[in-house]
Amino acid sequence: VKGSYVRVGDADLPMTDYEIYNFESFKSHVHDDERPIDRATLSLLRENDINNFILQMKLNRPGFSKLSENQIYELLSITRNNIPTLASVLNFGIYPQGLLPQLAITAIVVPGETIGDITSDGIRFLDNKRIEGTLSEMLDEAIAFCKRNIKVQTIINPNNGKREDKTEYPINAIREAHSPGSLYGRMTIFDLGKARPDLRNPALATMSEFLLKTENRYSGIPTIRREMKEYNLPEPVFENKRNEFVVTLYNNQHTSNNNEDIDLIRFCKSPKSRKEIAEYLDIKTISFVTKEYIQPLVNTGKLKLT
């Protein structure tokens, strides 16, 4: 613990407790999702959901039918020594956060590009929600949160002439970006979508194939890239920071197009304040509007400060 270092840029920095634990757990094949949760009991799990999961496993693996219920629970990591595991609590728990309060999703919308940006009225978060429940419930609610906070435009499908709603970001790309923690094992940022990743949580991965309809075939990153390309949006940005893995999806609004410039110049034919311009563009953060919209036009002489 104080004698291990990691290379960050040009510096050797002491490894954090999290990094040391990650390294040791990978080397020793320790899987947190299989550990028993001492306070958990089978009565705190959803029996019907477990039975449906086991039934699906039996259909795909006939050998399971020959095992006893206790053996099945142990082999599927639903229990360990008759105590529910972390994986089963997260997937089948009646209220998982009652036992694991830290394992929730915090979803926020900031009025700008970074946490700390505020509106002219001093509002820090435009939306802020703690999302709880099973993994399946949290995923559904997280996607609903994103849908609620992104723009939706109605377009005419050129193939069938029908009116369709198109979200600002591809929902499938958002759905694939739901893995916490930094990259695990031997995986690097350059291997994403190309090499098979080391599984941090194999029990969760197996359950997710049936409960969340995930593939676990390292197709998530290629899906994000493909969906963004089909939406004519910039390449997604992946950053493996020391204690977190960050995915950034851009919506192209940070670069104004020529039509926007012309509309803004017309709007400013009579002097307008920065606040009026921000309201006209329907953007909450005045500093962002100044940097990305007003200043470029001032620099090229198309607008003049008064």
Side-chain angles (χ1 to χ4, degrees), residues 164-222:
E164 297 177 356
D165 288 339
K166 182 178 180 181
T167 54
E168 187 176 7
Y169 301 89
I171 297 301
N172 284 339
I174 293 174
R175 189 180 191 278
E176 294 295 339
H178 64 277
S179 180
S182 56
L183 290 181
Y184 179 69
R186 295 160 292 186
M187 179 63 64
T188 70
I189 202 82
F190 305 105
D191 297 325
L192 290 174
K194 302 173 186 175
R196 184 175 183 83
D198 299 300
L199 280 179
R200 187 195 309 261
N201 299 305
L204 278 175
T206 300
M207 292 179 184
S208 295
E209 286 196 45
F210 294 93
L211 302 173
L212 303 180
K213 300 296 184 287
T214 59
E215 295 176 347
N216 294 318
R217 304 291 186 270
Y218 52 97
S219 62
I221 299 295

Side-chain angles (χ1 to χ4, degrees), residues 21-36:
Y21 173 76
N22 240 11
F23 177 76
E24 289 292 339
S25 62
F26 171 72
K27 187 174 68 172
S28 305
H29 303 288
V30 174
H31 298 131
D32 266 336
D33 57 341
E34 298 174 0
R35 66 179 171 88

